[in-house]
Amino acid sequence: MDLGLMGRAVLVTGGTDGLGLALAHRLVEEGAHVAVCGRDGARLAAARAALGDRALVAQVDVTDADALDALVDATAARFGRLDGVVSNAGRASPVADSSDEVWRTDFELKVLPAARLARRATPHLAREGGAIVNVLAISARAPDAATTPTSASRAAGLALTKALSKELGPMGVRANAVLIGLVESGQWVRRAASLGARLEEFYESAARQAHVPLGRFGRAEEFADLCAFLLSPRASYVTGAAINLDGGLSPVP
């Protein structure tokens, strides 16, 4: 199915690795212009090589408000338009010692950049009916024990997404969230390596222990397909939605 993304421009934060990079690949395959950012030099270089010269690959810390604003502006200037933004940056937070600083760091990484990205991008998105996708986790609606502050910041991201859908809808801008469960990504690859486990065996064991109804981890390509659809004109009447990508793991629909 043609998603109608040919010639459109999309900015993906955290797009140099794992799920973000898989989405960037999918968008390029659809003929879209893509900008991605990250902090790690090696991953930036790998993403630049993988995505080609047409992509904008920038070293940006999304907690730096000025740098994030500059990236939005640079993307619009490079491609002459900006049709979609994906807030995907994030990392796991320690929970054993849940200090104020841990909470502050988590919110500054996950919530504030999403709000800033939407704020800066809205004038561009409103020109031709663009879209915002916030990548969160199923803990946003179904937090488990010992998951704070991460589950709390994801819940804040969910509230932000719904509010944006109400505020920006009259401008023709859509806002949706993807709530991921156990989905293959760079963080899981690194986790398996740290345990000295074979990746496939690690995925099988983790899915079994978590009692994922579909019995497996999600694939990065499945995440990319869902996000690409939400960014596309094919999803023109979908806004304010939070879609679980979890193989049935979440107890909340």
Side-chain angles (χ1 to χ4, degrees):
M1 179 175 67
D2 181 7
L3 293 179
L5 288 168
M6 178 70 71
R8 292 178 176 247
V10 179
L11 167 59
V12 183
T13 65
T16 60
D17 185 39
L19 297 180
L21 185 57
L23 173 56
H25 275 295
R26 183 73 174 90
L27 294 170
V28 169
E29 290 174 356
E30 289 289 326
H33 303 295
V34 176
V36 300
C37 72
R39 298 181 302 169
D40 184 85
R43 294 177 197 166
L44 284 160
R48 189 173 290 111
L51 296 174
D53 295 336
R54 293 183 58 196
L56 173 60
V57 181
Q59 188 167 33
V60 172
D61 182 345
V62 297
T63 64
D64 183 333
D66 291 339
L68 186 57
D69 283 352
L71 177 60
V72 172
D73 296 345
T75 302
R78 169 78 173 266
F79 302 124
R81 59 190 297 161
L82 182 57
D83 303 281
V85 293
V86 180
S87 180
N88 177 59
R91 60 175 177 264
S93 299
V95 296
D97 299 312
S98 191
S99 65
D100 286 356
E101 184 59 29
V102 168
W103 280 77
R104 186 177 300 110
T105 298
D106 198 78
F107 272 71
E108 287 180 350
L109 178 67
K110 195 65 185 178
V111 182
L112 292 180
R116 292 178 186 130
L117 185 62
R119 181 171 61 233
R120 191 71 171 192
T122 291
H124 301 288
L125 301 177
R127 289 174 185 169
E128 295 191 42
I132 297 167
V133 174
N134 290 325
V135 181
L136 304 171
I138 58 174
S139 61
R141 289 195 294 204
D144 209 340
T147 61
T148 58
T150 298
S151 59
S153 68
R154 276 31 173 197
L158 188 58
L160 172 64
T161 303
K162 193 65 175 180
L164 287 171
S165 73
K166 300 287 189 179
E167 294 176 16
L168 305 183
M171 303 179 195
V173 177
R174 298 176 295 106
N176 294 290
V178 173
L179 277 56
I180 61 173
L182 296 179
V183 181
E184 297 172 0
S185 68
Q187 68 171 333
W188 293 116
V189 172
R190 292 186 285 275
R191 175 77 64 85
S194 72
L195 296 173
R198 290 180 54 194
L199 186 58
E200 289 305 316
E201 292 177 354
F202 172 83
Y203 283 148
E204 291 174 5
S205 175
R208 184 169 57 253
Q209 291 177 21
H211 304 291
V212 178
L214 287 184
R216 64 173 177 85
F217 262 59
R219 293 185 287 272
E221 293 78 10
E222 292 169 322
F223 166 83
D225 287 345
L226 175 57
C227 288
F229 170 73
L230 291 174
L231 290 164
S232 78
R234 293 287 187 178
S236 59
Y237 201 57
V238 180
T239 194
I243 301 174
N244 291 350
L245 184 73
D246 67 346
L249 178 60
S250 174
V252 181

